Amino acid sequence: MPLTKKQFKYAYWISTHKKKIKLGIIIGLIILNIFLISILIFKTTFYFKDQKNYQIMIDSLNKNLIDYELFREKNKPKDLVILLTNRVKSEKQKYDVISQIENLNSQWAAQYNYQFILNGQKGKIKTNFILPNEQKFLMDFNFETLTKNPIVELNIINIQWKRIKNLSKIPKTQFETKNIKYFPIGSYVAPDKKISVNQVNFEIINNSFYDFWESAFKVILYHEKNIVGINIIPVKQFLSKEKKFLSTSWVNFLPYVTKVFIEPEVNILNSKNLMPVK
């Protein structure tokens, strides 16, 4: 079949440009090879780099990247702070002792044992608790000593911390104290001696929504900044919205009392202390 005019021109152009076409193909293949080699080098470089990073990642899995020891150290509860420790003369050769402690932790409550020591004489080991960010008084009574200025110490032992993540879930105590009256009644004559009698009366209202099996009210008498008398009034079954009239007395001579402080205490960490809802 004879060639057309167009085909003939195309064949003629190819025959006259064979060398240029061949050179172009060679140059194109060279450029393509350079391009493919570049890609290969690029991929190979990143492969080994990724392998190195991958190996580092694999090795790090066996390492402890979090310093748990440091984390525990930073988040452990702070020690309870003893703000004051003092003695109060209650009778001839007898002393009562008092201390105030503080819990500086905002999310930790503590249950613990405590013991007072007066001039080496050890009191009973007692159990108590303290809530987050709370200050409270601890007391003990009737230490006997001939020493005029005995030294008093407080030991806090066997502390068990309890994490309180949500303080709003803890039952709130809301006691209202009213009509606090101190009566330095004077003295009366007992069969063998003359005894001074002093008395504190007050009203206490449970404004919370909870009924408590057991509660206590610490009474502290001050002369200026000095504590001159202490006592504890235990109360059984204190109902919500109930009002109670409480009273306590001292049978020793007291200086002029300038202030009476009442501190309620209810163990709300013990769920058994909450009376069931009727």
Side-chain angles (χ1 to χ4, degrees):
M1 180 175 161
L3 296 174
T4 63
K5 187 176 180 181
K6 188 175 182 181
Q7 290 173 335
F8 179 79
K9 287 182 177 181
Y10 180 70
Y12 176 77
W13 183 86
I14 290 176
S15 63
T16 56
H17 292 82
K18 281 184 179 180
K19 291 183 179 181
K20 291 183 178 180
I21 292 172
K22 185 177 180 180
L23 181 61
I25 292 173
I26 292 171
I27 293 173
L29 289 175
I30 292 173
I31 293 173
L32 178 61
N33 284 335
I34 293 172
F35 177 73
L36 293 176
I37 291 170
S38 299
I39 292 176
L40 180 61
I41 293 172
F42 179 81
K43 290 287 185 179
T44 302
T45 302
F46 272 86
Y47 170 78
F48 285 110
K49 186 177 180 181
D50 288 344
Q51 279 294 103
K52 184 177 179 181
N53 292 335
Y54 176 76
Q55 190 60 43
I56 292 173
M57 182 187 70
I58 293 298
D59 293 341
S60 68
L61 294 177
N62 296 323
K63 296 179 181 179
N64 192 356
L65 298 180
I66 301 175
D67 191 341
Y68 289 102
E69 189 66 30
L70 179 62
F71 178 81
R72 284 192 292 268
E73 185 67 25
K74 285 186 176 181
N75 290 276
K76 74 176 184 179
K78 300 175 185 177
D79 293 336
L80 299 179
V81 177
I82 300 176
L83 301 177
L84 67 87
T85 302
N86 209 342
R87 67 196 182 281
V88 180
K89 196 162 187 178
S90 58
E91 294 183 48
K92 188 177 181 181
Q93 299 176 4
K94 286 190 177 182
Y95 289 86
D96 300 332
V97 290
I98 182 170
S99 185
Q100 188 180 35
I101 65 172
E102 182 177 12
N103 181 5
L104 298 174
N105 301 285
S106 60
Q107 290 189 319
W108 292 93
Q111 292 180 310
Y112 54 89
N113 295 333
Y114 70 95
Q115 181 184 47
F116 282 98
I117 303 173
L118 186 76
N119 263 27
Q121 180 188 164
K122 295 182 179 180
K124 293 181 179 179
I125 295 177
K126 300 184 178 183
T127 300
N128 207 281
F129 68 96
I130 189 166
L131 300 176
N133 294 327
E134 184 181 30
Q135 291 182 1
K136 72 184 308 184
F137 285 100
L138 302 176
M139 301 177 182
D140 203 355
F141 302 90
N142 296 322
F143 285 83
E144 191 167 354
T145 179
L146 296 175
T147 306
K148 284 187 176 180
N149 297 304
I151 298 173
V152 59
E153 303 171 66
L154 173 68
N155 283 341
I156 299 176
I157 52 179
N158 299 330
I159 300 177
Q160 295 180 348
W161 293 101
K162 182 178 180 180
R163 185 75 176 263
I164 309 293
K165 293 184 179 180
N166 192 344
L167 291 175
S168 63
K169 292 185 178 181
I170 297 181
K172 295 292 187 296
T173 58
Q174 299 178 35
F175 290 103
E176 180 184 358
T177 307
K178 299 174 64 177
N179 298 325
I180 302 175
K181 295 180 180 179
Y182 170 70
F183 298 97
I185 295 176
S187 63
Y188 72 91
V189 178
D192 57 344
K193 58 183 176 179
K194 188 176 182 180
I195 300 176
S196 297
V197 178
N198 313 270
Q199 187 168 311
V200 168
N201 299 335
F202 59 95
E203 300 173 18
I204 195 86
I205 305 170
N206 180 8
N207 285 327
S208 74
F209 296 105
Y210 300 95
D211 305 327
F212 305 110
W213 285 113
E214 293 183 350
S215 55
F217 298 88
K218 302 167 190 175
V219 184
I220 302 166
L221 306 182
Y222 287 86
H223 171 69
E224 303 298 341
K225 295 182 179 180
N226 298 319
I227 298 174
V228 295
I230 61 175
N231 219 332
I232 298 178
I233 306 173
V235 175
K236 300 286 186 180
Q237 297 187 30
F238 207 148
L239 303 179
S240 174
K241 309 306 176 184
E242 182 182 9
K243 179 193 291 186
K244 289 185 180 290
F245 298 89
L246 303 180
S247 177
T248 187
S249 60
W250 292 258
V251 295
N252 57 302
F253 172 78
L254 293 178
Y256 178 67
V257 173
T258 57
K259 176 185 173 183
V260 179
F261 177 73
I262 312 294
E263 181 180 85
E265 180 178 270
V266 180
N267 190 352
I268 57 176
L269 297 178
N270 182 3
S271 58
K272 293 181 180 179
N273 197 32
L274 301 178
M275 299 175 67
V277 179
K278 295 182 180 179

